Amino acid sequence: MIGVLIFPGFQLLDAAGPVSVFEIAMRHGGAYPAIKTIAVNPGPVRSSSGVELLARGLRPHGTISTLIVAGGSGVETAAKCEKTLGFVRAMARRGVRIASVCSGAYILAEAGLLDGRRATTHWRRTKDFLATYPRVKLEPDRIFTRDGNIWTSAGISAGIDLALAMVAEDFGDEVARDTARQLVLYHRRSGGQSQFSSLLELKAPTGRFGPLLAWAREHLDEPLTVEALAERAGMSTRHFARAFIAETGSTPSKAVERLRIEVARQQVQFSSAAIERVAETTGFRDPERMRRAFIRAFGQPPQSLRRAARAGV
């Protein structure tokens, strides 16, 4: 049975996304959907949108094999609730597969489940999460991570990607693929894909480094070194690097690579330009270097993404 842990102020889609994935997957896999929402206090639980879900209490649920913890605006209060933390710890001791969506990682971290483990959460939470839980090996660029029996994911859509990965483990790739198709998803993203939504925010005019990144995006074929970026920002290299990481949660070189990957992906999927030409115009220079970057980001090389795009997969 899939248990989805919610609390007052939870994000509705953090719960509903994985619920829908498992419901469809179980039907495709020939099983009756067995999914329950649970909370400290049984009954209606109001989400941050005002929509309520009916939840069961935290009494022992011996049939739960996977526990998914939602995130949302009420997560700080939920992460201080001893009943919630005790329940999550008890599930972990039983060997239950435990996952978090978005800021639900705070509950897992507060329960001590993420100490020494790799994890991720929404990019907006990076700075606070790192300061609050220094023992967690946070990977802020990841869509989702898995470290043993503990899974964590970034934002709402990443929770769906995480659930699909669990479905692939439980029912096989074919069921996961059929589930993604029924949900009308373009494809199931690998956990290693970067949280490109952060770049949309960084490129916004209101962001401190927004104009710099907007400029960099238009000059990807140039050698965008940390020194060059610092000079354009009018800052010393050391101060620039520190300020950039503090504000964005990413190093300048990593941000540039993500910009290059984003633009290169668009050209690979939606243009007929040769792979070598794409690598050159986006600053990768070497097609092999771009191939390695694509595998890190998408779990597959540029040629595979192009074939999938042309096939409409």
Side-chain angles (χ1 to χ4, degrees):
M1 185 176 77
I2 308 298
V4 181
L5 179 61
I6 59 176
F7 45 83
F10 74 98
Q11 167 55 246
L12 184 62
L13 282 177
D14 282 2
V19 165
S20 295
V21 169
F22 278 104
E23 177 211 350
I24 294 169
M26 288 174 178
R27 294 188 190 281
H28 278 299
Y32 181 80
I35 310 166
K36 304 295 181 185
T37 52
I38 52 180
V40 171
N41 297 312
V45 181
R46 185 180 294 270
S47 70
S48 57
S49 68
V51 176
E52 297 178 339
L53 289 183
L54 190 62
R56 296 188 176 189
L58 296 184
R59 62 184 183 279
H61 291 278
T63 58
I64 289 180
S65 58
T66 296
L67 177 67
I68 299 175
V69 180
S73 60
V75 74
E76 285 82 4
T77 300
K80 296 175 183 177
C81 175
E82 283 304 320
K83 288 185 178 179
T84 298
L85 299 178
F87 178 79
V88 172
R89 293 184 187 116
M91 292 292 102
R93 286 194 296 269
R94 278 185 39 213
V96 169
R97 182 174 59 180
I98 298 178
S100 64
V101 180
C102 197
S103 58
Y106 278 74
I107 294 175
L108 302 193
E110 194 65 33
L113 271 59
L114 300 183
D115 287 352
R117 293 182 183 268
R118 295 183 301 106
T120 193
T121 189
H122 194 281
W123 64 271
R124 281 186 180 273
R125 299 270 189 167
T126 296
K127 185 176 180 180
D128 179 70
F129 196 94
L130 284 169
T132 307
Y133 305 107
R135 297 179 64 183
V136 179
K137 298 177 181 178
L138 190 69
E139 298 185 353
D141 278 347
R142 301 299 183 180
I143 291 292
F144 66 85
T145 65
R146 178 185 183 180
D147 193 325
N149 222 28
I150 306 297
W151 302 56
T152 56
S153 65
I156 291 169
S157 63
I160 293 175
D161 292 307
L162 177 147
L164 284 168
M166 287 182 165
V167 165
E169 181 175 77
D170 294 347
F171 298 98
D173 288 334
E174 184 175 353
V175 170
R177 186 165 52 249
D178 289 343
T179 301
R181 286 174 177 167
Q182 185 161 337
L183 288 166
V184 198
L185 296 176
Y186 181 67
H187 59 72
R188 176 165 58 92
R189 297 179 295 178
S190 66
Q193 183 166 335
S194 295
Q195 296 182 37
F196 287 112
S197 58
S198 64
L199 289 176
L200 299 178
E201 176 69 15
L202 289 171
K203 289 184 289 184
T206 54
R208 179 180 179 184
F209 294 107
L212 176 66
L213 286 166
W215 174 86
R217 196 177 191 276
E218 299 302 319
H219 296 80
L220 293 177
D221 58 339
E222 299 181 14
L224 300 175
T225 63
V226 176
E227 291 77 14
L229 293 173
E231 182 178 356
R232 184 165 184 85
M235 303 166 68
S236 70
T237 301
R238 178 175 294 183
H239 179 54
F240 169 72
R242 289 177 176 174
F244 193 92
I245 293 172
E247 179 159 327
T248 70
S250 173
T251 64
S253 59
K254 190 67 175 178
V256 168
E257 181 180 77
R258 287 160 61 186
L259 282 170
R260 286 185 166 132
I261 292 173
E262 178 188 20
V263 174
R265 177 185 61 82
Q266 292 172 351
Q267 293 186 19
V268 164
Q269 292 180 315
F270 306 115
S271 81
S272 58
I275 298 298
E276 293 76 10
R277 178 61 177 163
V278 174
E280 181 180 352
T281 58
T282 55
F284 283 108
R285 308 295 181 191
D286 180 7
E288 175 59 25
R289 181 184 170 196
M290 187 174 80
R291 188 188 73 85
R292 292 195 298 268
F294 267 54
I295 290 175
R296 287 196 299 272
F298 308 114
Q300 52 188 318
Q303 292 84 350
S304 296
L305 284 180
R306 172 164 283 179
R307 284 195 297 269
R310 291 177 176 175
V313 178

